[in-house]
Amino acid sequence: MHEPDATPVLIVDDEEHLRITASQTLELAGYRPQTVGDAESALATLEEDYPGVVISDIRMPGMDGLALLREVRRRDPDLPVILITGHGDISTAVEAMREGAWDFLEKPFAGERLAEVVRRAVDKRRLSLENRHLKAELDAQRAAPGPRIVGRTPAMQHLTTMLQRISQVETDVLLFGETGVGKDLVARSLHERSSRGGQPFVAINCGAVPENIIESELFGHEKGAFTGAVERRIGKFEHASGGSVFLDEIESMPLSLQVKLLRVLQERTIERLGSNRPIPLDIRVIAATKVDLRAAAERGEFREDLYYRLNVVTLPIPPLRERREDVPLLFQHFAVVAANRSGLEAPPLDAGGVSTLMAHDWPGNVRELRNLAERFVLIGAAYDYRLERLLEGSDAATSEMTLPQQVELFEKSLISQALTNHHGRVNAVCEHLGLPRKTLYDKLKKYDLRAEDFRQRSAGE
């Protein structure tokens, strides 16, 4: 007997014996067949985002199969429709493919052929719905406060919790993390979640601004303050009043300017170059660094008093190698973003691709992963490149994990992905992974995964 969560397949045929035969074949293959005798009944059966596929005979009384195909594609262009043609009716089959049929079956057809065509169509439908779901999630995220922070590992859950707490209090924050971990995204999220969310967010890369103009950039200047100052200029701090200032790579700020920044943090006022009039500020300062500022202060490379002033709340951002289980989810997220932006479709990520992602150490962190996902969508799909070819410098041997550790992490990631894709439905996950129910439950217990958590996430999205 089929599982209640098995993928449905709608069979449309006015001949009862053909409906019964196809239904029995597909039920044995693990699907959940639904049968109707005419196209009008089929259209009444298809709900929005129907998770399965449609099989229809072409020649039927009333609305025929081609008309049904056109109407189905008008409602949902991504829903695969498989048409059944009579023997030797090649012209009809060609017309069906032109109309957008997924495939066609010529009578009489073998059960194995039917099951194989349906299997490929179901895989296509699952991917299309997954992409549709993620695109809808991205659209919803654009309306929500703060950029999207993707991750389900304990480290990322802790980061999200801390962001929510810190955003509600008025305190300066120091973000600490390697290059590419997403410090700018975390800073923007912190700003948008706070009461300052509708006010300016001004980002300054302290390492990219030349030393001879950084003071003018931050504090502004009056007309005639120095050669070339032909008019008054409002600095970044003053421009951000009411909002947040993000000082990235603060370890690169010249020591001479650090003392002035300390004064700004303590007094919440600035003076434009060439002026002695203090200007009050209403800002929150979010600083970011990729180095240990305390160690830098001990070496005399960073002011110790500024370090302690910034160190009220320090938020560490974990590197990607310390949250490998998030890698496939992040990759999928970036691929859908790239596909949505470029008008392409995100190619499916197979088990070999997941293995490649999990084995890599990601020295460039999230930035490297995002770039790979974009290459995968723009180049990989066009030239059938595998991830191994796109990921330059990939070498599983560089991983410090043992083989059993890598296998366990890979297995946990696949189970997590299946739980996500099937919204925590255990029967569907068992079918997808080819696991007995007891085996799946044993693995859920081993990896501390709970199916209900994934059902709750789905309900909340």
Side-chain angles (χ1 to χ4, degrees), residues 5-18:
D5 284 332
T7 303
V9 178
L10 181 59
I11 303 168
V12 190
D13 202 310
D14 61 317
E15 298 185 36
E16 184 179 7
H17 74 279
L18 288 178

Side-chain angles (χ1 to χ4, degrees), residues 44-94:
T45 301
L46 293 173
E47 71 272 15
E48 186 178 0
D49 288 344
Y50 182 73
V53 300
V54 177
I55 302 174
S56 175
D57 195 4
I58 288 183
R59 303 192 183 281
M60 295 185 295
M63 178 184 284
D64 65 11
L66 285 176
L68 173 62
L69 168 66
R70 296 186 191 104
E71 178 59 23
V72 169
R73 286 187 56 77
R74 186 190 69 79
R75 296 185 182 185
D76 188 341
D78 298 323
L79 178 56
V81 177
I82 302 164
L83 293 179
I84 300 173
T85 67
H87 176 65
D89 199 354
I90 300 300
S91 61
T92 304
V94 171

Side-chain angles (χ1 to χ4, degrees), residues 212-226 229 232-233 257 260 270-276:
N212 61 330
I213 67 169
I214 190 171
E215 189 171 357
S216 173
E217 282 287 311
L218 295 182
F219 306 133
H221 61 253
E222 297 288 350
K223 180 179 179 180
F226 51 83
R232 172 187 287 177
R233 186 182 191 281
L257 193 58
K260 296 184 179 181
I270 62 163
E271 293 178 5
R272 300 192 196 111
L273 292 178
S275 171
N276 295 319

Side-chain angles (χ1 to χ4, degrees), residues 20-21 110 135 163 209 246 263 278-279 291 300 333 376-377 453:
I20 293 173
T21 301
K135 287 177 182 177
L163 274 176
V209 182
F246 175 48
R263 189 180 309 121
I279 300 172
V291 305
H333 166 72
F376 187 62
V377 170
D453 290 342

Side-chain angles (χ1 to χ4, degrees), residues 20-316:
I20 293 173
T21 301
S23 178
Q24 291 173 341
T25 298
L26 293 175
E27 191 165 20
L28 289 173
Y31 299 103
R32 176 161 53 92
Q34 301 171 306
T35 61
V36 293
D38 57 79
E40 291 81 4
S41 299
L43 292 173
T45 301
L46 293 173
E47 71 272 15
E48 186 178 0
D49 288 344
Y50 182 73
V53 300
V54 177
I55 302 174
S56 175
D57 195 4
I58 288 183
R59 303 192 183 281
M60 295 185 295
M63 178 184 284
D64 65 11
L66 285 176
L68 173 62
L69 168 66
R70 296 186 191 104
E71 178 59 23
V72 169
R73 286 187 56 77
R74 186 190 69 79
R75 296 185 182 185
D76 188 341
D78 298 323
L79 178 56
V81 177
I82 302 164
L83 293 179
I84 300 173
T85 67
H87 176 65
D89 199 354
I90 300 300
S91 61
T92 304
V94 171
E95 183 182 357
M97 299 302 286
R98 285 176 177 170
E99 294 282 352
W102 166 256
D103 207 337
F104 69 93
L105 295 167
E106 186 180 19
K107 297 178 183 176
F109 50 84
E112 294 81 0
R113 165 71 175 159
L114 172 63
E116 174 59 20
V117 171
V118 168
R119 182 191 65 78
R120 289 188 290 106
V122 165
D123 288 344
K124 167 69 173 177
R125 181 58 171 170
R126 184 178 293 123
L127 178 63
S128 296
L129 288 178
E130 183 177 313
N131 284 340
R132 183 180 299 176
H133 171 74
L134 285 173
K135 287 177 182 177
E137 189 176 341
L138 291 172
D139 290 340
Q141 182 64 31
R142 292 188 186 102
R148 178 171 175 76
I149 296 179
V150 179
R152 298 193 183 98
T153 53
M156 294 307 292
Q157 290 176 355
H158 175 71
L159 176 62
T160 302
T161 300
M162 290 299 296
L163 274 176
Q164 190 59 37
R165 290 179 182 174
I166 295 170
S167 67
Q168 305 308 312
V169 295
E170 284 291 323
T171 182
D172 297 332
V173 180
L174 178 63
L175 306 178
F176 174 65
E178 297 176 5
T179 297
V181 295
K183 296 187 288 293
D184 53 343
L185 181 134
V186 172
R188 288 181 182 274
S189 181
L190 180 59
H191 169 75
E192 294 294 341
R193 291 168 188 251
S194 73
S195 60
R196 299 177 178 271
Q199 301 302 316
F201 176 85
V202 178
I204 304 161
N205 189 321
C206 300
V209 182
E211 185 173 346
N212 61 330
I213 67 169
I214 190 171
E215 189 171 357
S216 173
E217 282 287 311
L218 295 182
F219 306 133
H221 61 253
E222 297 288 350
K223 180 179 179 180
F226 51 83
T227 302
V230 296
E231 60 183 1
R232 172 187 287 177
R233 186 182 191 281
I234 302 299
K236 301 290 189 183
F237 279 112
E238 190 175 349
H239 176 68
S241 192
S244 303
V245 173
F246 175 48
L247 298 175
D248 198 9
E249 296 188 19
I250 195 170
E251 71 276 5
S252 303
M253 180 176 284
L255 287 169
S256 60
L257 193 58
Q258 290 178 23
V259 66
K260 296 184 179 181
L261 174 61
L262 178 62
R263 189 180 309 121
V264 170
L265 295 178
Q266 291 174 338
E267 300 176 6
R268 274 337 195 234
T269 62
I270 62 163
E271 293 178 5
R272 300 192 196 111
L273 292 178
S275 171
N276 295 319
R277 184 174 66 87
I279 300 172
L281 294 178
D282 173 22
I283 60 170
R284 177 184 217 166
V285 174
I286 306 171
T289 180
K290 62 179 179 292
V291 305
D292 184 341
L293 290 184
R294 183 173 183 177
E298 291 174 352
R299 295 192 301 268
E301 298 171 0
F302 196 82
R303 288 190 64 93
E304 189 174 25
D305 49 4
L306 178 57
Y307 163 70
Y308 284 114
R309 181 62 184 78
L310 289 169
N311 196 37
V312 178
V313 177
T314 298
L315 202 56

